[in-house]
Amino acid sequence: MSKIIVIAGATNGIGRGIALDRLRRGDVVVAVGSSAERGARLRADAEQAGAGDRLDFLRADLSSIAENDRVIDHVTARHPAIDALVLTANRQSAERRETAEGLEFTFALYYLSRYLLGYGLRGALEASPSPVILNVAGAGITAGAVMWDDLQLERRYGMLRAQLQGGRANDLLGVSFTEETGGTVRYVMYHPGFTDNGDFSHLPRPLSALVKLLARFAARSIDQVVPPLSGLLDTPPLQPLTAVDRGRTVPLTLRTFDPADARRLARLTEELLASRRTPR
Ligand SMILES: NC(=O)c1ccc[n+]([C@@H]2O[C@H](COP(=O)([O-])OP(=O)(O)OC[C@H]3O[C@@H](n4cnc5c(N)ncnc54)[C@H](OP(=O)(O)O)[C@@H]3O)[C@@H](O)[C@H]2O)c1
């Protein structure tokens, strides 16, 4: 039976690969990305695959709380039930920058958007028979940390530091979401490993050329990475929460999944949202 799948970050890389794969299989895909050009390219590819009528491209800046709320409203107005939410939106920023709502960009895009979409679409997910959230980030990596006393990285910003904080925050999000929902929606935290997404232009100059070169020899292709992820959408794991690092199951006893830290981050996130969110 065909599924309804929402993909946040569907216009490039792994998200785009999953979008096209699912469209070819007959699913309906709500694809979110910030670039109109990339959205048009996805649309053209969907049409070529004879699936243009099953693609709903929604242009939105997921680093904005208000824009995430708009995406949630768009999806829930059209689909009372959705089968899967795939979270792949991310972008590196060499310099610290703030969103219109005054949040550090990587925190807002890589972590907070996933928090908002998961909870915002919870009802629609719970209305489907076997719902799953696929959070593609860095499960299994233990480097980096959530900077409890400087979540917005105001005192010490670094691109890698921000990315690693986002990854660790997503690990904790999986744990707290599952605890909060009691496992009504299966949650999979997935690390794809080094993958050639075809665009490293957002990295600072010398690094982007190096990573592009490295990707040619050492990275996995989108075609290699997508099938196991797509398989998880077809057959979600039986357990409420699963962590997978390049195909290997990661034990949830890893310190990066600490339940007390997960509750602490969820609490801080709710406090942050209470002060920054525009009432809907
Ligand atoms: N590639 C790797 O080597 C690797 C390794 C480990 C983990 N991961 C994780 O896997 C996930 C997918 O990675 P990827 O390499 O496939 O990423 P990617 O090719 O860079 O794609 C990122 C997606 O996010 C969207 N996006 C970026 N900024 C956005 C914004 N402000 N609002 C809405 N959408 C936005 C992009 O679309 P627009 O340009 O249209 O906005 C694009 O569709 C990420 O979470 C990444 O951290 C990747």
Side-chain angles (χ1 to χ4, degrees):
M1 219 172 86
S2 81
K3 293 179 185 288
I4 299 174
I5 300 186
V6 178
I7 306 178
T11 51
N12 198 63
I14 297 167
R16 177 183 146 85
I18 296 174
L20 290 172
D21 179 66
R22 299 312 307 193
L23 286 166
R24 287 190 198 106
R25 289 159 182 256
D27 290 343
V28 170
V29 173
V30 182
V32 187
S34 70
S35 154
E37 257 174 65
R38 287 178 162 180
R41 187 166 61 102
L42 180 65
R43 171 159 303 290
D45 288 347
E47 271 161 15
Q48 205 174 26
D53 58 332
R54 282 183 282 104
L55 171 71
D56 177 12
F57 169 64
L58 179 59
R59 186 181 179 196
D61 177 1
L62 293 172
S63 70
S64 149
I65 298 170
E67 285 279 273
N68 277 282
D69 285 342
R70 184 169 68 83
V71 171
I72 292 161
D73 290 345
H74 175 98
V75 172
T76 50
R78 284 158 185 79
H79 305 288
I82 60 172
D83 298 284
L85 169 64
V86 180
L87 301 164
T88 51
N90 189 11
R91 180 148 295 153
Q92 295 79 19
S93 182
E95 308 292 331
R96 183 182 185 279
R97 52 187 171 119
E98 281 193 1
T99 65
E101 286 138 341
L103 298 173
E104 190 278 312
F105 172 78
T106 308
F107 178 90
L109 174 64
Y110 190 16
Y111 163 69
L112 189 59
S113 163
R114 299 182 186 208
Y115 183 98
L116 290 165
L117 294 175
Y119 282 106
L121 296 176
R122 174 184 173 180
L125 283 158
E126 285 175 340
S128 95
S130 184
V132 61
I133 295 179
L134 203 47
N135 186 340
V136 184
I141 295 177
T142 52
V146 172
M147 303 296 153
W148 296 109
D149 58 349
D150 186 23
L151 270 185
Q152 301 307 314
L153 305 179
E154 283 165 301
R155 290 201 288 283
R156 241 182 97 200
Y157 181 84
M159 185 179 76
L160 186 61
R161 192 180 173 83
Q163 282 293 320
L164 288 172
Q165 166 167 270
R168 299 300 67 77
N170 275 305
D171 293 342
L172 297 177
L173 170 58
V175 175
S176 58
F177 184 90
T178 306
E179 190 172 276
E180 176 71 27
T181 57
T184 49
V185 179
R186 257 73 59 77
Y187 206 104
V188 183
M189 303 179 284
Y190 194 98
H191 178 211
F194 184 27
T195 305
D196 188 356
N197 63 28
D199 177 17
F200 298 103
S201 63
H202 300 283
L203 295 170
R205 256 292 168 72
L207 187 62
S208 63
L210 180 68
V211 175
K212 193 173 168 186
L213 185 70
L214 264 179
R216 252 202 258 158
F217 304 104
R220 303 165 82 202
S221 69
I222 297 296
D223 287 349
Q224 286 173 306
V225 170
V226 166
L229 282 162
S230 202
L232 286 164
L233 299 180
D234 286 325
T235 318
L238 293 175
Q239 313 87 291
L241 180 65
T242 312
V244 181
D245 181 355
R246 285 158 282 184
R248 288 187 307 274
T249 302
V250 178
L252 296 173
T253 48
L254 216 61
R255 65 180 159 79
T256 46
F257 306 124
D258 182 74
D261 283 350
R263 278 178 224 126
R264 183 181 180 188
L265 183 62
R267 212 167 42 243
L268 286 174
T269 306
E270 281 303 315
E271 284 168 18
L272 195 72
L273 285 172
S275 65
R276 311 284 168 130
R277 202 176 205 168
T278 316
R280 294 150 88 190

